[in-house]
Amino acid sequence: MAEPKLIILDDAQSLYVHAAEEIAHFAGEAICMHAEFTLCLTGGSTPAATYALLAERFRLSVDWKEVQFFWGDERCVPPDDPASNFGMANRTMLSRLDLRPEQIHRIRGEDPPEQAAGAYAEELRASFGIGKGEFPRFDLILVGLGENVHVESLFPGNPALHERERLVVAVEVDAPQRHRVTITPPVLNNSARVMFLVEGKGKAEAVKNALEGPHDPDRFPAQIIDPPNGEVVWLLDRAAASLLSHT
Ligand code: 6PG
């Protein structure tokens, strides 16, 4: 398995711009290769500025009608709740692009968690034309990193870190929105590319543990990401990378 690629930017603003450039570049590449770009979005606060840049500066340079939007995880709240991951992406990017409703594949945070997880797994199967036992292959999955090294809604010690069959699971986590729905490790590891977006000093310890800590994904969930046929890219600002010894 390939070593992750580390890209360290001077500050958060440079990271947002670089992330948007990378996403636009991967979109062009995928659309050229197979007429479609399957993009799995992440929640949290870090990607918001990148999404806004995509809708503004990259509005004309990406063929948005060929992009299919998915989510890696969702908090169990209605779509118009300020904590909704769909809501954030919709406000900052999707509503500003001229998209068809069938391009948007959201997790229904307003439904009971188990039901939302089952429905989203079906949505993935239908969109990717896969059957039971198969996993979708996203062109790009964007992920954030929690201070406790969680990724998607795969928190330390959560049994979902050991899921090998289901595409999507409902989880209860130790965070403000306790009930969440998340994609599972085999989906992350079937992706063509996973790109981390991490900024700020508050994440420095988590970045160090994810990349240089002892291999223990139950403690450091981000380490679960290791696609055998895919690339892992870490976009970090200097503050987030400050504790790494090999940069
Ligand atoms: C969520 C997430 C989560 C997030 C990290 C980083 O729904 O909370 O998808 O994994 O990406 O917690 O969040 P920030 O960007 O807000 O630091």
Side-chain angles (χ1 to χ4, degrees):
M1 289 170 213
E3 282 288 302
K5 182 171 150 191
L6 261 64
I7 302 176
I8 299 169
L9 288 311
D10 279 342
D11 51 31
Q13 185 57 29
S14 317
L15 181 137
Y16 305 147
V17 173
H18 194 81
E21 283 168 355
E22 292 277 275
I23 295 165
H25 169 76
F26 295 141
E29 198 177 75
I31 293 167
C32 185
M33 302 275 283
H34 49 258
E36 183 178 74
F37 179 49
T38 49
L39 173 62
C40 187
L41 300 172
T42 181
S45 53
T46 311
T50 291
Y51 294 166
L53 278 169
L54 284 167
E56 292 155 11
R57 227 185 273 181
F58 294 86
R59 195 187 164 77
L60 299 176
S61 48
V62 173
D63 192 357
W64 292 107
K65 67 179 185 316
E66 307 302 349
V67 182
Q68 299 292 327
F69 296 92
F70 298 84
W71 277 260
D73 72 339
E74 185 57 280
R75 292 93 178 264
C76 291
V77 294
D80 56 357
D81 187 292
S84 163
N85 286 343
F86 160 78
M88 186 275 278
N90 196 40
R91 279 190 304 279
T92 53
M93 170 169 66
L94 306 179
S95 62
R96 303 162 74 188
L97 298 169
D98 195 14
L99 304 171
R100 302 180 308 283
E102 59 270 26
Q103 288 176 261
I104 298 174
H105 310 267
R106 73 176 179 91
I107 301 171
R108 293 179 54 87
E110 65 274 43
D111 290 346
E114 294 290 345
Q115 184 184 321
Y120 190 56
E122 282 312 310
E123 174 84 18
L124 290 178
R125 286 198 185 93
S127 305
F128 283 84
I130 54 171
K132 287 249 184 266
E134 292 182 295
F135 296 99
R137 182 161 174 81
F138 284 103
D139 291 310
L140 176 63
I141 300 183
L142 300 176
V143 289
L145 184 72
E147 285 179 18
N148 62 357
V149 202
H150 80 259
V151 69
E152 304 292 8
S153 284
L154 299 166
F155 277 55
N158 198 295
L161 284 162
H162 297 277
E163 179 62 46
R164 295 289 171 267
E165 287 169 12
R166 287 176 295 172
L167 309 186
V168 186
V169 292
V171 287
E172 204 176 327
V173 301
D174 188 13
Q177 290 79 31
R178 296 187 67 80
H179 293 281
R180 300 183 178 203
V181 171
T182 182
I183 57 171
T184 56
V187 175
L188 283 156
N189 285 330
N190 202 43
S191 183
R193 192 172 273 118
V194 178
M195 191 162 83
F196 281 85
L197 308 181
V198 194
E199 50 117 339
K201 205 163 174 38
K203 298 287 175 70
E205 182 83 34
V207 168
K208 183 167 178 63
N209 283 328
L211 288 167
E212 297 178 351
H215 186 76
D216 186 355
D218 274 310
R219 206 167 136 214
F220 306 132
Q223 293 178 348
I224 209 92
I225 298 182
D226 195 6
N229 298 305
E231 184 187 40
V232 180
V233 184
W234 285 75
L235 291 195
L236 305 166
D237 68 355
R238 273 197 197 290
S242 60
L243 296 180
L244 290 177
S245 25
H246 316 288
T247 48

